[in-house]
Amino acid sequence: MRIVLLGAPGAGKGTQCKRIVARYDLLHLSSGDILRQQRTEGTDLGKKAQSYMDSGALVPDEIVVAMMTDAIRKAPDAGFVLDGFPRTVNQAAELDKSLASYHQGIDVVLNLNVDDQVVAERITGRRSCPQCGAVYHIRNMKPKVDEICDNDGTKLIQRPDDSPEVVANRLETYRRQTEAVVDYYKSNRTVYDIDANKNADEVSTLMFEKLEALAKA
Ligand code: AP5
């Protein structure tokens, strides 16, 4: 299965992708996680991406498309879930072109719909593990010990781009550049709109119902 998960910042894409890959044994490819990893390693790509990410703008298409199509080419036959990519209509078209060159395509798109005030509450309460990438929330998905990762005992951090000013820019960028990707896919793929204002288990149930129905069709 080749799945794209769309949604505003903080909609829960990363949280739900982890559940999808655990259930279907797919590869999780998050453009944000890969870019953050490049930054941590101090690569040229990471240095180029830094100022865009810190301000809440999109990293230029040519950088992200090359990075993601390369990662997708190495995905196992079972498939993958894309998280945070594509984020512009141009990225979506380039992705289609790249997959078509080896006779593949996106099977289904899940679009997580969430209200702006829910986004603000989720992002300001998010805490992440800098070691393993696990994501928590100070109220909704608490670690067993406050501020400490359940998996490896590392102290949790707040992402630098989760400040209120940068979140406002990320939301604005989403409205201006990424919402059109939903229409792009609605014109040529199966797209399921999911109410992502619900709690994480309810959102997973809604998604899995759609994916199971598709697998049986
Ligand atoms: P990226 O890392 O992709 O950030 P994002 O899209 O803004 O998404 P987030 O990671 O903030 O949120 P999420 O939807 O994954 O939510 P999460 O599951 O963590 O991108 C960062 C930057 O990289 C971009 O700004 C850009 O500069 C660059 N970039 C990345 N991809 C790019 C591309 N394709 N092109 C160009 N530039 C690119 O959940 C959020 C919180 O809510 C967590 O605390 C979680 O525990 C909690 N939560 C989740 N679901 C629920 C629920 N249902 N109920 C209650 N709490 C919940």
Side-chain angles (χ1 to χ4, degrees):
M1 235 183 322
R2 292 178 284 271
I3 303 172
V4 169
L5 209 68
L6 297 176
K13 300 182 294 297
T15 302
Q16 297 300 334
C17 277
K18 289 191 176 84
R19 295 172 179 215
I20 295 175
V21 298
R23 189 174 176 115
Y24 296 106
D25 203 18
L26 305 173
L27 180 67
H28 179 189
L29 289 171
S30 156
S31 47
D33 285 351
I34 297 174
L35 288 167
R36 278 184 286 279
Q37 182 67 32
Q38 296 282 333
R39 285 181 61 167
T40 305
E41 291 171 8
T43 64
D44 283 350
L45 197 160
K47 284 178 194 150
K48 278 186 200 151
Q50 184 154 349
S51 61
Y52 299 100
M53 296 175 81
D54 287 346
S55 67
L58 293 186
V59 176
D61 281 356
E62 62 273 18
I63 296 179
V64 178
V65 167
M67 177 184 92
M68 292 304 287
T69 51
D70 189 45
I72 290 166
R73 226 170 275 126
K74 296 171 191 152
D77 289 343
F80 53 78
V81 188
L82 299 181
D83 164 6
F85 176 83
R87 242 174 163 101
T88 64
V89 169
N90 179 50
Q91 289 181 16
E94 289 296 324
L95 171 63
D96 276 348
K97 227 190 281 174
S98 170
L99 289 172
S101 71
Y102 43 101
H103 312 290
Q104 289 188 356
I106 296 300
D107 297 309
V108 62
V109 177
L110 300 168
N111 180 34
L112 301 184
N113 287 313
V114 69
D115 298 337
D116 282 2
Q117 68 273 20
V118 175
V119 162
E121 196 271 332
R122 285 189 188 166
I123 288 190
T124 50
R126 171 167 50 196
R127 298 291 181 275
S128 319
C129 175
Q131 190 64 34
C132 72
V135 174
Y136 302 88
H137 190 279
I138 53 171
R139 279 177 298 279
N140 307 333
M141 276 172 248
K142 293 179 175 185
K144 291 187 186 110
V145 179
D146 270 358
E147 303 291 320
I148 300 292
C149 179
D150 292 350
N151 300 334
D152 51 31
T154 305
K155 179 143 179 50
L156 302 178
I157 56 161
Q158 249 188 311
R159 262 172 47 182
D161 60 343
D162 278 353
S163 68
E165 310 76 54
V166 180
V167 170
N169 285 343
R170 284 162 58 199
L171 270 173
E172 207 270 317
T173 302
Y174 172 78
R175 303 262 176 264
R176 195 164 29 86
Q177 291 181 271
T178 308
E179 266 182 350
V181 176
V182 180
D183 296 327
Y184 172 87
Y185 279 124
K186 282 188 173 167
S187 70
N188 64 11
R189 289 286 184 287
T190 303
V191 178
Y192 293 118
D193 287 310
I194 306 285
D195 179 1
N197 293 305
K198 297 175 184 291
N199 74 44
D201 289 343
E202 290 171 318
V203 175
S204 300
T205 302
L206 291 173
M207 282 184 337
F208 291 143
E209 278 171 7
K210 299 293 185 195
L211 293 175
E212 301 294 330
L214 191 75
K216 281 190 200 133

